Amino acid sequence: MVADAIRAALLTLIGLNLSAATSTSTGDTQAVMTIPAVTENQTWTVSLSQDWDVLGPFPIHAREQHFLSPSFPLKLTDPIDLNATWPSSYADGGSVGWTKAQSLDDVIEVSYPSVRWAALRATEGWAALQHHSVLRSVITVYPPSNPSNQETSIPRLLVDLDQGSFFTLLPPSDNKDDKFVPEWHAGNIYALGRAPPNAVSLPYPPSTDSPTTYEIVVSGDYEIRLFGDPRFDLGSEVPKTSIILTVDIQDTVPAVVRVDSHAVVSDFVDGWAFGNAVGVGLRSLDGWWTVTGASVSANLAEIFEVSLLQKTRIAPTQTRIIPITLTQRAPLRHDSIELTLTVESQDTVSEVRIAIPVEHYAQWSADDVPAAGIKASFFYGTSMPASFIVIPPREPTNAPQPPILALHGAGLDALKEHRLSWVEALPRQRHSWVILPAGRTEWGLDWHGPSTREAWNTVEALSDILGAREEWRSWSFAPDTRVLLMGHSNGGQGAWYVGGRYPDRIVGVVPAAGYIKSQAYVPWVQSRSAHYIDPALRALLDSSLTPDDNDLFLSNLADTPILAIHGGDDENVPVWHTRELVATLKTWNPHANVTYREDSGEHHWYEGLFLNDAVKTFVASILSGEGATAAPSSRSYTLTVAVPSDSGSLHGWSVHSLSIPGRLGRLGVDIEPGGISVRTTNIKAFSIRLGSLPEDVKNVPFLVDGQSVELDEASWDQPDFFLALAQEQGVWSPYPLFDVQSVPPTGRILNVLSSAGPITIVIPSQSPSAQLSAGLRIAHNLDVYHKLDADIITEDEAATRMRDGSLASANIVVLARGELGAFSRSILEEARTPFKISGTSLKLRGRLLNGPSMATLFLHPHPTNANSLVLFAYGADMSGFERAVRLFPIRTGVTVPDWIVVGRQADERGTGGVHGAGVWGNNWSWNEAMSAF
Ligand SMILES: *[C@@H]1O[C@H](CO)[C@@H](O)[C@H](O)[C@H]1NC(C)=O
Ligand SMILES: *[C@@H]1O[C@H](CO)[C@@H](O)[C@H](O)[C@H]1NC(C)=O
Ligand SMILES: *[C@@H]1O[C@H](CO)[C@@H](O)[C@H](O)[C@H]1NC(C)=O
Ligand SMILES: *[C@@H]1O[C@H](CO)[C@@H](O)[C@H](O)[C@H]1NC(C)=O
């Protein structure tokens, strides 16, 4: 696995004895036991017991574990009683107790064969298979045998948890009091590649002359999306959670090491880089380091010049991708590029040398194209090096045709492991490029948020790359070209999603095996929270999913040619999803040009899914433009919008703001011989580009909600004239477009992931260790789940940067525990949102938010950039702070709107512990209709 390779590389680089380190892996515990331990340990070592205690199964719906305590139903402040039993509606008799499990080769398999799963499933379907377990085992840390000639520093653990949701380490029970607050680390639940291990500080210093034991507690959550249907995959009714856990140890040596998995470089075509972005993965083993310079090795100096895009500071244990721009003067023939980076700590300057291997290809031609496509590179956002794959067309053309944007399924590594097979599954075109974005990672954000943004960015990036070199220019297209969307599975869902949000930017969609939305994929009937929460509050929370509810946006696709595909026996995404999407679409427009192709008897993926005559004919017709001209221009349609800043236009109509943000907005348009009639639902401001109307529509009456809007004749003659209208108390009047355009991307805290550049994480300046840990955990999760870069700074630094104008203009996350720091105070004092400072704490509408274990999260405007966000995550005490950190939105489906206040009852009642939540009104105002407090 990739993560193991990184670890091996790290250990070699820092000069640890690799064989000693290997013998500490769990798989070898047995061998160590049979050969009596005579080995003197040169360094700190660690072993993880193979014996596990397991408690479960408890019903849960996907993502509830972000609200519930990961150790639910246990309170970890109490000693663990292995004799206790707990209620569980899955078990015969209605209660469950602890059972035992043994790990084998680092894999812990948890299943409950005595539960009558088939009976539960007969009535509840897949929802009944979702369940939560708590797992517990013991880690032993051994000191070096001869500590005098060793580092006296306390080592860190390197923990890899794949397919588990959270883990924590507990101190020995006699060192744990009732104020103990576990520090939960997120597991790599999707088993994403390119994931560095979690660096974990020991919760209590280990003895330097005898072994010290710690308990490790893991939250294991069975999800259909992760483990599949056991009936199909295992031929069994019994769902099995398989968790992989490895533990290593690392001395805290101040040093920076390479992380090869994080390197980013393009392929070379005829010796020329296919993109000028280069990324170098670096990890700090300990200490703060700043990368201050980059240079190319002497033998390449004639060919390249490199420059560091920005100075990059790495926090202790953090992994970052250092952005470097490459300027090329001559073709490269070497098989790697060698760079030297200058890294500085407070008292040291050193150099890191890197050789990044590159692939060379000859210029593509009609019958010669690299089997696995060409890898291109670009900067995602302002400065995050990223890559994507493209399949060149066979022939250039004077009139560029739209490219195909192909979105992959969940778990597919488009850049490496599955690159060849994904390229081979897609149809190479005569005149169109096929673009295969990575979506940030194998799962990304399910092609929403940063993954959507990246998909669009790759289209622009390819246009730039082709335009930058004479030999490639004839193959280029416009950066804002329309595209044909194609996608499979999660990417099929993504194609429905992207098409439904940007209808004017697409020429057609070929979605295969897509699901409608996460709540429909595995239903929520087993929700624990639902037994406690007021349904009205639940509706507010659920509004944070509205932007992803693909069915609600099908009105936007009613005029787009669609070829929807699904295998008739799909075991992974049930076939009814596509049937239902098509049926819903046809309700909007019975004459919609939608073809449904059900490949009967086929599973989730099958040979020829996209490589068949139906797809070929459909795609060729659309890309050549014949289909588009054949389609009658529509005269009656509806634009649906949830978040105006994340939505494009339909037939030239755009919604700029909603009357009640958080609710759906709809704009119905009817173009009749007698004029244009617009009906609005929950729309505050919209615009129409007059040139987008059918040609025969000119100088006609214009009615909005029955009110006549006067337009002078001259305006009708300017195709690029935008008529913008805004509504005040039911009265529509023209509005300067620039005034209505800048709506902050609010609606849900998840939007903080859609950052224009690296996310700045601000931690308190005083006693920063716990908060630094929280900052590092969030930075780690951003890297693992989204390959989003983060810069960790203190409140004081943030305040200084704000004063001298160097505060980054991208999104910011402020982690605050107890008293608020200088930076927080300075921006909260402006009272841009209803959250106020009160004494040392926060207040919302007169209520103090300093209850025990209370967590508050809210979006706030960025102090210097109207299009960026600040996310505050605040807890008055340690427990509340940790609760806030767990709610940081790293995965889709966690229901948090713009702000939320959660109390300690959430540990066992999930969202039943939410005190209040809501969506901001326009301009960050209180939105009574979408608030509960
Ligand atoms: C050395 O470490 C291993 C585990 O990695 C342990 O089993 C062994 O007892 C240790 N040896 C000593 C002398 O502590
Ligand atoms: C758990 O049960 C066993 C067997 O019944 C008993 O020996 C043991 O004392 C119990 N432990 C606790 C903590 O109650
Ligand atoms: C539907 O769209 C396809 C692709 O553009 C086109 O070939 C076909 O003619 C269209 N069908 C209708 C009825 O417009
Ligand atoms: C938004 O609110 C701020 C004060 O919070 C005010 O200064 C600004 O003018 C408002 N902007 C608009 C467009 O109403």
Side-chain angles (χ1 to χ4, degrees), residues 83-111:
N83 287 348
T85 60
W86 306 87
S88 166
S89 51
Y90 281 168
D92 286 358
S95 68
V96 295
W98 288 89
T99 53
K100 300 266 179 213
Q102 279 265 313
S103 66
L104 183 66
D105 296 337
D106 305 331
V107 180
I108 314 144
E109 292 191 335
V110 175
S111 64

PDB file of all heavy atoms in Angstrom, residues 83-111:
ATOM      1  N   ASN A  83     -18.058  -6.552  31.070  1.00  0.00           N
ATOM      2  CA  ASN A  83     -19.228  -7.393  31.361  1.00  0.00           C
ATOM      3  C   ASN A  83     -20.541  -6.690  31.055  1.00  0.00           C
ATOM      4  O   ASN A  83     -21.584  -7.336  31.043  1.00  0.00           O
ATOM      5  CB  ASN A  83     -19.256  -7.779  32.850  1.00  0.00           C
ATOM      6  CG  ASN A  83     -18.191  -8.817  33.173  1.00  0.00           C
ATOM      7  OD1 ASN A  83     -17.595  -9.390  32.281  1.00  0.00           O
ATOM      8  ND2 ASN A  83     -17.959  -9.044  34.449  1.00  0.00           N
ATOM      9  N   ALA A  84     -20.482  -5.382  30.811  1.00  0.00           N
ATOM     10  CA  ALA A  84     -21.726  -4.631  30.656  1.00  0.00           C
ATOM     11  C   ALA A  84     -22.420  -4.979  29.338  1.00  0.00           C
ATOM     12  O   ALA A  84     -21.785  -5.417  28.379  1.00  0.00           O
ATOM     13  CB  ALA A  84     -21.424  -3.133  30.681  1.00  0.00           C
ATOM     14  N   THR A  85     -23.729  -4.794  29.299  1.00  0.00           N
ATOM     15  CA  THR A  85     -24.468  -4.944  28.045  1.00  0.00           C
ATOM     16  C   THR A  85     -25.176  -3.626  27.738  1.00  0.00           C
ATOM     17  O   THR A  85     -25.382  -2.798  28.628  1.00  0.00           O
ATOM     18  CB  THR A  85     -25.509  -6.073  28.113  1.00  0.00           C
ATOM     19  OG1 THR A  85     -26.427  -5.762  29.161  1.00  0.00           O
ATOM     20  CG2 THR A  85     -24.858  -7.414  28.359  1.00  0.00           C
ATOM     21  N   TRP A  86     -25.551  -3.452  26.467  1.00  0.00           N
ATOM     22  CA  TRP A  86     -26.154  -2.213  26.002  1.00  0.00           C
ATOM     23  C   TRP A  86     -27.324  -2.526  25.078  1.00  0.00           C
ATOM     24  O   TRP A  86     -27.279  -3.514  24.357  1.00  0.00           O
ATOM     25  CB  TRP A  86     -25.123  -1.387  25.215  1.00  0.00           C
ATOM     26  CG  TRP A  86     -23.867  -1.139  25.981  1.00  0.00           C
ATOM     27  CD1 TRP A  86     -22.780  -1.956  26.043  1.00  0.00           C
ATOM     28  CD2 TRP A  86     -23.596  -0.017  26.819  1.00  0.00           C
ATOM     29  NE1 TRP A  86     -21.826  -1.407  26.861  1.00  0.00           N
ATOM     30  CE2 TRP A  86     -22.300  -0.212  27.356  1.00  0.00           C
ATOM     31  CE3 TRP A  86     -24.300   1.135  27.169  1.00  0.00           C
ATOM     32  CZ2 TRP A  86     -21.714   0.702  28.215  1.00  0.00           C
ATOM     33  CZ3 TRP A  86     -23.711   2.035  28.013  1.00  0.00           C
ATOM     34  CH2 TRP A  86     -22.434   1.825  28.545  1.00  0.00           C
ATOM     35  N   PRO A  87     -28.355  -1.669  25.097  1.00  0.00           N
ATOM     36  CA  PRO A  87     -29.483  -1.923  24.196  1.00  0.00           C
ATOM     37  C   PRO A  87     -29.069  -1.800  22.730  1.00  0.00           C
ATOM     38  O   PRO A  87     -28.310  -0.892  22.380  1.00  0.00           O
ATOM     39  CB  PRO A  87     -30.497  -0.814  24.536  1.00  0.00           C
ATOM     40  CG  PRO A  87     -29.978  -0.118  25.737  1.00  0.00           C
ATOM     41  CD  PRO A  87     -28.536  -0.448  25.891  1.00  0.00           C
ATOM     42  N   SER A  88     -29.544  -2.737  21.919  1.00  0.00           N
ATOM     43  CA  SER A  88     -29.367  -2.625  20.464  1.00  0.00           C
ATOM     44  C   SER A  88     -30.518  -3.328  19.775  1.00  0.00           C
ATOM     45  O   SER A  88     -30.749  -4.526  20.009  1.00  0.00           O
ATOM     46  CB  SER A  88     -28.054  -3.262  20.010  1.00  0.00           C
ATOM     47  OG  SER A  88     -28.081  -3.419  18.606  1.00  0.00           O
ATOM     48  N   SER A  89     -31.233  -2.613  18.929  1.00  0.00           N
ATOM     49  CA  SER A  89     -32.415  -3.202  18.303  1.00  0.00           C
ATOM     50  C   SER A  89     -32.071  -4.208  17.206  1.00  0.00           C
ATOM     51  O   SER A  89     -32.946  -4.833  16.644  1.00  0.00           O
ATOM     52  CB  SER A  89     -33.313  -2.095  17.732  1.00  0.00           C
ATOM     53  OG  SER A  89     -32.539  -1.242  16.933  1.00  0.00           O
ATOM     54  N   TYR A  90     -30.795  -4.376  16.901  1.00  0.00           N
ATOM     55  CA  TYR A  90     -30.430  -5.371  15.887  1.00  0.00           C
ATOM     56  C   TYR A  90     -30.344  -6.786  16.475  1.00  0.00           C
ATOM     57  O   TYR A  90     -30.434  -7.756  15.744  1.00  0.00           O
ATOM     58  CB  TYR A  90     -29.067  -5.020  15.263  1.00  0.00           C
ATOM     59  CG  TYR A  90     -29.115  -3.929  14.216  1.00  0.00           C
ATOM     60  CD1 TYR A  90     -27.944  -3.335  13.753  1.00  0.00           C
ATOM     61  CD2 TYR A  90     -30.325  -3.511  13.658  1.00  0.00           C
ATOM     62  CE1 TYR A  90     -27.969  -2.343  12.780  1.00  0.00           C
ATOM     63  CE2 TYR A  90     -30.358  -2.520  12.689  1.00  0.00           C
ATOM     64  CZ  TYR A  90     -29.180  -1.937  12.257  1.00  0.00           C
ATOM     65  OH  TYR A  90     -29.203  -0.966  11.289  1.00  0.00           O
ATOM     66  N   ALA A  91     -30.076  -6.861  17.802  1.00  0.00           N
ATOM     67  CA  ALA A  91     -29.774  -8.172  18.386  1.00  0.00           C
ATOM     68  C   ALA A  91     -31.044  -8.851  18.886  1.00  0.00           C
ATOM     69  O   ALA A  91     -31.967  -8.195  19.357  1.00  0.00           O
ATOM     70  CB  ALA A  91     -28.797  -8.001  19.537  1.00  0.00           C
ATOM     71  N   ASP A  92     -31.090 -10.159  18.779  1.00  0.00           N
ATOM     72  CA  ASP A  92     -32.196 -10.913  19.393  1.00  0.00           C
ATOM     73  C   ASP A  92     -32.165 -10.641  20.889  1.00  0.00           C
ATOM     74  O   ASP A  92     -31.097 -10.693  21.511  1.00  0.00           O
ATOM     75  CB  ASP A  92     -32.021 -12.411  19.131  1.00  0.00           C
ATOM     76  CG  ASP A  92     -32.358 -12.769  17.685  1.00  0.00           C
ATOM     77  OD1 ASP A  92     -32.756 -11.856  16.925  1.00  0.00           O
ATOM     78  OD2 ASP A  92     -32.207 -13.947  17.316  1.00  0.00           O
ATOM     79  N   GLY A  93     -33.300 -10.318  21.448  1.00  0.00           N
ATOM     80  CA  GLY A  93     -33.349  -9.997  22.865  1.00  0.00           C
ATOM     81  C   GLY A  93     -33.140  -8.519  23.139  1.00  0.00           C
ATOM     82  O   GLY A  93     -33.398  -8.045  24.244  1.00  0.00           O
ATOM     83  N   GLY A  94     -32.633  -7.789  22.164  1.00  0.00           N
ATOM     84  CA  GLY A  94     -32.559  -6.333  22.301  1.00  0.00           C
ATOM     85  C   GLY A  94     -31.358  -5.796  23.048  1.00  0.00           C
ATOM     86  O   GLY A  94     -31.320  -4.614  23.379  1.00  0.00           O
ATOM     87  N   SER A  95     -30.327  -6.639  23.320  1.00  0.00           N
ATOM     88  CA  SER A  95     -29.118  -6.053  23.910  1.00  0.00           C
ATOM     89  C   SER A  95     -27.873  -6.783  23.420  1.00  0.00           C
ATOM     90  O   SER A  95     -27.948  -7.934  22.966  1.00  0.00           O
ATOM     91  CB  SER A  95     -29.200  -6.055  25.442  1.00  0.00           C
ATOM     92  OG  SER A  95     -29.139  -7.368  25.911  1.00  0.00           O
ATOM     93  N   VAL A  96     -26.756  -6.074  23.503  1.00  0.00           N
ATOM     94  CA  VAL A  96     -25.478  -6.655  23.065  1.00  0.00           C
ATOM     95  C   VAL A  96     -24.409  -6.414  24.127  1.00  0.00           C
ATOM     96  O   VAL A  96     -24.503  -5.479  24.918  1.00  0.00           O
ATOM     97  CB  VAL A  96     -24.990  -6.046  21.720  1.00  0.00           C
ATOM     98  CG1 VAL A  96     -25.927  -6.399  20.594  1.00  0.00           C
ATOM     99  CG2 VAL A  96     -24.824  -4.534  21.830  1.00  0.00           C
ATOM    100  N   GLY A  97     -23.404  -7.278  24.123  1.00  0.00           N
ATOM    101  CA  GLY A  97     -22.260  -7.111  25.021  1.00  0.00           C
ATOM    102  C   GLY A  97     -20.971  -7.210  24.223  1.00  0.00           C
ATOM    103  O   GLY A  97     -20.987  -7.213  22.990  1.00  0.00           O
ATOM    104  N   TRP A  98     -19.862  -7.287  24.939  1.00  0.00           N
ATOM    105  CA  TRP A  98     -18.556  -7.323  24.282  1.00  0.00           C
ATOM    106  C   TRP A  98     -18.283  -8.711  23.704  1.00  0.00           C
ATOM    107  O   TRP A  98     -18.645  -9.719  24.299  1.00  0.00           O
ATOM    108  CB  TRP A  98     -17.457  -6.987  25.273  1.00  0.00           C
ATOM    109  CG  TRP A  98     -17.432  -5.542  25.674  1.00  0.00           C
ATOM    110  CD1 TRP A  98     -18.120  -4.977  26.700  1.00  0.00           C
ATOM    111  CD2 TRP A  98     -16.680  -4.505  25.053  1.00  0.00           C
ATOM    112  NE1 TRP A  98     -17.851  -3.638  26.767  1.00  0.00           N
ATOM    113  CE2 TRP A  98     -16.954  -3.312  25.757  1.00  0.00           C
ATOM    114  CE3 TRP A  98     -15.786  -4.443  23.972  1.00  0.00           C
ATOM    115  CZ2 TRP A  98     -16.373  -2.090  25.417  1.00  0.00           C
ATOM    116  CZ3 TRP A  98     -15.213  -3.239  23.644  1.00  0.00           C
ATOM    117  CH2 TRP A  98     -15.513  -2.071  24.354  1.00  0.00           C
ATOM    118  N   THR A  99     -17.635  -8.741  22.560  1.00  0.00           N
ATOM    119  CA  THR A  99     -17.151  -9.997  22.011  1.00  0.00           C
ATOM    120  C   THR A  99     -15.672  -9.822  21.690  1.00  0.00           C
ATOM    121  O   THR A  99     -15.122  -8.731  21.850  1.00  0.00           O
ATOM    122  CB  THR A  99     -17.915 -10.379  20.721  1.00  0.00           C
ATOM    123  OG1 THR A  99     -17.852  -9.273  19.830  1.00  0.00           O
ATOM    124  CG2 THR A  99     -19.361 -10.721  21.016  1.00  0.00           C
ATOM    125  N   LYS A 100     -15.049 -10.906  21.243  1.00  0.00           N
ATOM    126  CA  LYS A 100     -13.612 -10.857  20.950  1.00  0.00           C
ATOM    127  C   LYS A 100     -13.367 -10.946  19.450  1.00  0.00           C
ATOM    128  O   LYS A 100     -14.135 -11.588  18.728  1.00  0.00           O
ATOM    129  CB  LYS A 100     -12.908 -12.062  21.600  1.00  0.00           C
ATOM    130  CG  LYS A 100     -13.051 -12.119  23.104  1.00  0.00           C
ATOM    131  CD  LYS A 100     -11.864 -11.453  23.762  1.00  0.00           C
ATOM    132  CE  LYS A 100     -12.005 -11.487  25.283  1.00  0.00           C
ATOM    133  NZ  LYS A 100     -11.393 -10.289  25.890  1.00  0.00           N
ATOM    134  N   ALA A 101     -12.286 -10.349  19.004  1.00  0.00           N
ATOM    135  CA  ALA A 101     -11.850 -10.526  17.613  1.00  0.00           C
ATOM    136  C   ALA A 101     -10.328 -10.562  17.617  1.00  0.00           C
ATOM    137  O   ALA A 101      -9.686 -10.041  18.528  1.00  0.00           O
ATOM    138  CB  ALA A 101     -12.360  -9.398  16.735  1.00  0.00           C
ATOM    139  N   GLN A 102      -9.772 -11.194  16.601  1.00  0.00           N
ATOM    140  CA  GLN A 102      -8.318 -11.288  16.452  1.00  0.00           C
ATOM    141  C   GLN A 102      -7.928 -10.631  15.141  1.00  0.00           C
ATOM    142  O   GLN A 102      -8.577 -10.887  14.121  1.00  0.00           O
ATOM    143  CB  GLN A 102      -7.923 -12.771  16.349  1.00  0.00           C
ATOM    144  CG  GLN A 102      -7.841 -13.502  17.661  1.00  0.00           C
ATOM    145  CD  GLN A 102      -6.415 -13.498  18.178  1.00  0.00           C
ATOM    146  OE1 GLN A 102      -5.483 -13.777  17.431  1.00  0.00           O
ATOM    147  NE2 GLN A 102      -6.237 -13.155  19.444  1.00  0.00           N
ATOM    148  N   SER A 103      -6.904  -9.818  15.177  1.00  0.00           N
ATOM    149  CA  SER A 103      -6.464  -9.248  13.905  1.00  0.00           C
ATOM    150  C   SER A 103      -5.532 -10.229  13.218  1.00  0.00           C
ATOM    151  O   SER A 103      -4.866 -11.045  13.864  1.00  0.00           O
ATOM    152  CB  SER A 103      -5.756  -7.914  14.129  1.00  0.00           C
ATOM    153  OG  SER A 103      -4.563  -8.113  14.838  1.00  0.00           O
ATOM    154  N   LEU A 104      -5.502 -10.149  11.903  1.00  0.00           N
ATOM    155  CA  LEU A 104      -4.608 -10.997  11.141  1.00  0.00           C
ATOM    156  C   LEU A 104      -3.980 -10.108  10.071  1.00  0.00           C
ATOM    157  O   LEU A 104      -4.701  -9.477   9.290  1.00  0.00           O
ATOM    158  CB  LEU A 104      -5.406 -12.148  10.506  1.00  0.00           C
ATOM    159  CG  LEU A 104      -4.578 -13.158   9.726  1.00  0.00           C
ATOM    160  CD1 LEU A 104      -3.654 -13.932  10.651  1.00  0.00           C
ATOM    161  CD2 LEU A 104      -5.496 -14.103   8.961  1.00  0.00           C
ATOM    162  N   ASP A 105      -2.668 -10.054  10.039  1.00  0.00           N
ATOM    163  CA  ASP A 105      -1.967  -9.189   9.082  1.00  0.00           C
ATOM    164  C   ASP A 105      -2.523  -7.766   9.106  1.00  0.00           C
ATOM    165  O   ASP A 105      -2.850  -7.197   8.060  1.00  0.00           O
ATOM    166  CB  ASP A 105      -2.063  -9.752   7.658  1.00  0.00           C
ATOM    167  CG  ASP A 105      -1.360 -11.078   7.544  1.00  0.00           C
ATOM    168  OD1 ASP A 105      -0.471 -11.336   8.379  1.00  0.00           O
ATOM    169  OD2 ASP A 105      -1.721 -11.850   6.656  1.00  0.00           O
ATOM    170  N   ASP A 106      -2.679  -7.234  10.279  1.00  0.00           N
ATOM    171  CA  ASP A 106      -3.150  -5.847  10.482  1.00  0.00           C
ATOM    172  C   ASP A 106      -4.628  -5.647  10.161  1.00  0.00           C
ATOM    173  O   ASP A 106      -5.120  -4.532  10.240  1.00  0.00           O
ATOM    174  CB  ASP A 106      -2.351  -4.832   9.648  1.00  0.00           C
ATOM    175  CG  ASP A 106      -0.861  -4.917   9.893  1.00  0.00           C
ATOM    176  OD1 ASP A 106      -0.482  -5.300  11.024  1.00  0.00           O
ATOM    177  OD2 ASP A 106      -0.088  -4.612   8.976  1.00  0.00           O
ATOM    178  N   VAL A 107      -5.330  -6.690   9.749  1.00  0.00           N
ATOM    179  CA  VAL A 107      -6.745  -6.536   9.398  1.00  0.00           C
ATOM    180  C   VAL A 107      -7.609  -7.045  10.560  1.00  0.00           C
ATOM    181  O   VAL A 107      -7.402  -8.156  11.049  1.00  0.00           O
ATOM    182  CB  VAL A 107      -7.097  -7.328   8.122  1.00  0.00           C
ATOM    183  CG1 VAL A 107      -8.572  -7.147   7.775  1.00  0.00           C
ATOM    184  CG2 VAL A 107      -6.208  -6.896   6.977  1.00  0.00           C
ATOM    185  N   ILE A 108      -8.531  -6.212  10.984  1.00  0.00           N
ATOM    186  CA  ILE A 108      -9.477  -6.632  12.021  1.00  0.00           C
ATOM    187  C   ILE A 108     -10.828  -6.765  11.338  1.00  0.00           C
ATOM    188  O   ILE A 108     -11.339  -5.792  10.768  1.00  0.00           O
ATOM    189  CB  ILE A 108      -9.592  -5.583  13.136  1.00  0.00           C
ATOM    190  CG1 ILE A 108      -8.212  -5.110  13.570  1.00  0.00           C
ATOM    191  CG2 ILE A 108     -10.370  -6.130  14.331  1.00  0.00           C
ATOM    192  CD1 ILE A 108      -8.181  -3.649  13.918  1.00  0.00           C
ATOM    193  N   GLU A 109     -11.377  -7.958  11.389  1.00  0.00           N
ATOM    194  CA  GLU A 109     -12.681  -8.162  10.775  1.00  0.00           C
ATOM    195  C   GLU A 109     -13.722  -8.289  11.868  1.00  0.00           C
ATOM    196  O   GLU A 109     -13.551  -9.051  12.814  1.00  0.00           O
ATOM    197  CB  GLU A 109     -12.670  -9.415   9.911  1.00  0.00           C
ATOM    198  CG  GLU A 109     -11.782  -9.236   8.701  1.00  0.00           C
ATOM    199  CD  GLU A 109     -11.949 -10.341   7.683  1.00  0.00           C
ATOM    200  OE1 GLU A 109     -12.360 -11.453   8.089  1.00  0.00           O
ATOM    201  OE2 GLU A 109     -11.669 -10.087   6.504  1.00  0.00           O
ATOM    202  N   VAL A 110     -14.779  -7.488  11.730  1.00  0.00           N
ATOM    203  CA  VAL A 110     -15.826  -7.492  12.744  1.00  0.00           C
ATOM    204  C   VAL A 110     -17.133  -7.869  12.078  1.00  0.00           C
ATOM    205  O   VAL A 110     -17.532  -7.257  11.089  1.00  0.00           O
ATOM    206  CB  VAL A 110     -15.962  -6.084  13.372  1.00  0.00           C
ATOM    207  CG1 VAL A 110     -17.140  -6.046  14.336  1.00  0.00           C
ATOM    208  CG2 VAL A 110     -14.676  -5.701  14.075  1.00  0.00           C
ATOM    209  N   SER A 111     -17.766  -8.916  12.610  1.00  0.00           N
ATOM    210  CA  SER A 111     -19.102  -9.245  12.102  1.00  0.00           C
ATOM    211  C   SER A 111     -19.893  -9.877  13.251  1.00  0.00           C
ATOM    212  O   SER A 111     -19.328 -10.290  14.252  1.00  0.00           O
ATOM    213  CB  SER A 111     -19.011 -10.186  10.905  1.00  0.00           C
ATOM    214  OG  SER A 111     -18.455 -11.418  11.304  1.00  0.00           O
TER     215      SER A 111
END
